[in-house]
Amino acid sequence: MNSKHLCMLLLAMLVRVGATAAETPLVLSYDKPSEKWMGALPLGNGRLGAMVYGGVDKETVALNEATLWSGQPDPEANNLCGPEKLREMRQAFLSGDYRRGNDLGWQSLCGHGKSFGTHLPFGNLVITDEAAATDITDYKRCLSLSEAVATVSYKQNGISYRREYFTSNPAQTLVVRYTASQAHAINVSIGMDMLRHSTVCASSASQQQGCLDINGDARFDKNGEGGVRFRGLVSAQVEGGEIRVVDNRLVVTNATTLTLTADIRTDFQNMDYRQQCRQTVTAATAMPYQQLKKAHVKDYQHLFNRMSLCLNADGKQATGSTEALFQAARKGQPDPVFDALFFQYGRYMQISSSRENSPLPSNLQGIWNDNLACNMPWTCDYHLDINIQQNYWSTNIANLSECNTPLFSYLSLLAKHGSVTARKVYGCRGWVTHTINNVWGDTAPGGSCSWALNVTAGAWMATHLWTHYEFTQDRDYLREVAYPLLKETAEFFMDYMIEDPQTGYLLSGPSISPENSFRGPDGRDYSLSMMPTTDRATIYEIYHACIEASRLLNVDADFRAQLERDIRKLPPYRVRQNGELAEWLLDVGRSDPSHRHASHLLALYPYGHISPDDTPDLARGCETFLANQTSHANWEDTEWTRGNNINFYARLRRGEKAYESLIGLYTGFMRENLMTVSPAGVAGAQEDIFSFDATEAAVAGVCEMLLQSSPTHDLTFLPALPQAWKDGSVRGICARGGIEADFSWKDGQVTTLVLRSKLSQTVNLRLNGTTHTVQLKANRQTKIL
């Protein structure tokens, strides 16, 4: 092969993986340890989470496990309301007596949250270097997004030290490896700083192997009685040294290598947790380290390598550490390379927190826990009025559909318990759950109607079942998982909605527009009403999904016919006199126009009922609302509102506004390890608290800026491209219809485009200002440009 042919081959390889000379290595890199949890490097295998501080004299690895929950089932949770009281409330609302309707709702529909519980942190693995940390040079702390491996390296007294950390999904363990350039140079002690009720017992099986055995429970008096029992094991193995037991610590002296293998298990749906913990650690310690690492990287890259993104506006190279890139982004001057890095960081976090074998989906903090959220009144649980929805917005479009699996299992759990809530509280079939949810099946309303009585919260989450099908076209999944849950969701609303005798519309209620109230005709502020817009949008989406699914599966014709009749009786979306999309069926305005929630815009994103092309007046109503909300002097700006707005503005084809929202996420709510925070002052927080939602919402938003797909599988390329990304390339981005796309662009125009489809189908492409109709063959690659 001559040099010309070799160059052409290398160029083709670079194009295939979406790389350019200006694409930054997918590494977070820092030149000093973190002094706090928020600066640490996150690791996760979908169940075990770890935060690596990277200290030299004292290393801290904060540990989490997804099922480490306080609380317990509450058999009295559904002792609320009932059909007769519900009927009385509705009569008040339909007669226009909103004061009485709200008074009755607050009397009968506020839950008590007894023994509700919260997710909790486990504790800190603490590794102390016996020597003083002096003469440290060449320090580097890194997280490789392409391998999901954290490293710490430095030199001390002429000796090079290196540590590697990863949480393996195949082995189901945390693994830490210490090495040094000189034999017998590792001298550390290993102990636990526990945050739970527990005992720690250190033992040494031989001079080369020791163990920390941690047993306890997750009692947490703040949230009532109960809590899982747990066991944690940390196994230590050395080469070239010895391990001794001193005061429930393991002391390592004169070792050449040190390998730690750890697992945590609880009795949540797992009575064999103690033995399972021992078996997992025993199996992992029996494997050579390089074999463990190789299996971990291969397993992780199977997901991560499906998609690449390069946003190279003007050919400049990214320089400096992640800290330097972060500081520029914090000042509102992000490098497009940083945008691509943060995008892939979000995909990394999704894989790390939610895998096919995860026992639970990601909660408000993913699978990590800063010991702050769990101490807040809102706890570290499952909020279904925006947060957990945002956690999973990125999965399908960013080519990580398998990461949805634990969410769907959790929805099945909610449906099981929610069927009791539906029957007892409302007298309805199907299932229902509300704003806050735990792992114990508490699907009843929470303690305040103003935020807790979101009757369509669970249904909103359930719409993701249909979205997953739209992207994957997995007919078996639709038949066995999605449709049964969607059908039960629709059955609740078939019973719950009533016909308005004045208009003939079918109405849900009493319900809320999450966390917002309106000023009634009598001058008072009310939370409860009939058919807020968020309910209308969600019920329509659920009914539409069931209609389409039953038709595809050729089942339940009578059920489908009823839905088809009822969906036409839902009230239409409308624009108020002030130009905003109406948030309530009533012609009323918000009590607090600056409030952070915007749930009535679900019709714009994610549902797509409103678009600039099909419903331009309604789209303008959405944009007017956003302009009024975000320009208000007291706008309650948060991390997830920024994530919301990236997607809203992308759907409105406002690329610069979408990018402005992404920059706003950087400047206001991102910290140096690229995690995002819910800021102090929001919902009673006294300080910034880590929140997972905005990261995944931003990943989804970036994808929406590059490619949008309609339910009819029309594809629009670069619908909201900002000037900062005028040149770039993407590989493996997904669209509805089971389609993947690879494309590149120059000066905002698509220059190359390849599509892959799971189905043979005809699609319309909006591309460079024109529309093209193309035929795609199943499991074939089609070159368009």
Side-chain angles (χ1 to χ4, degrees), residues 697-755:
V699 171
V702 170
C703 289
E704 290 281 342
M705 293 164 75
L706 301 177
L707 175 62
Q708 292 178 21
S709 55
S710 72
T712 56
H713 309 167
D714 292 350
L715 275 61
T716 304
F717 292 85
L718 306 182
L721 189 73
Q723 179 63 25
W725 301 346
K726 65 185 182 68
D727 305 332
S729 62
V730 64
R731 174 183 58 83
I733 191 171
C734 293
R736 287 171 176 81
I739 298 169
E740 280 189 32
D742 304 344
F743 59 95
S744 58
W745 63 94
K746 180 73 173 176
D747 292 326
Q749 296 289 298
V750 176
T751 55
T752 67
L753 172 60
V754 173
L755 299 178

Side-chain angles (χ1 to χ4, degrees), residues 74-82 86 89 104-116 381-385 414 417-427 431-438 441-458 492 496 509-512 528:
D74 178 6
E76 300 177 357
N78 293 310
N79 294 344
L80 304 170
C81 195
L86 182 64
M89 281 178 233
L104 291 172
W106 281 81
Q107 291 169 17
S108 300
L109 282 168
C110 288
H112 46 70
K114 180 181 177 182
S115 300
F116 187 83
D381 60 11
Y382 294 100
H383 273 49
L384 301 187
D385 59 353
L414 292 180
H417 293 283
S419 64
V420 180
T421 301
R423 185 179 71 255
K424 287 189 173 183
V425 178
Y426 299 109
W431 71 280
V432 66
T433 190
H434 302 79
T435 303
I436 58 171
N437 294 265
N438 60 17
D442 191 340
T443 52
S448 171
C449 286
S450 62
W451 54 262
L453 199 66
N454 184 6
V455 180
T456 52
F492 172 78
Y496 182 68
S511 188
I512 63 169
L528 300 178

Side-chain angles (χ1 to χ4, degrees), residues 158-171:
I159 303 174
S160 296
Y161 292 88
R162 180 176 174 83
R163 310 173 198 159
E164 293 185 335
Y165 314 71
F166 59 87
T167 47
S168 169
N169 186 274

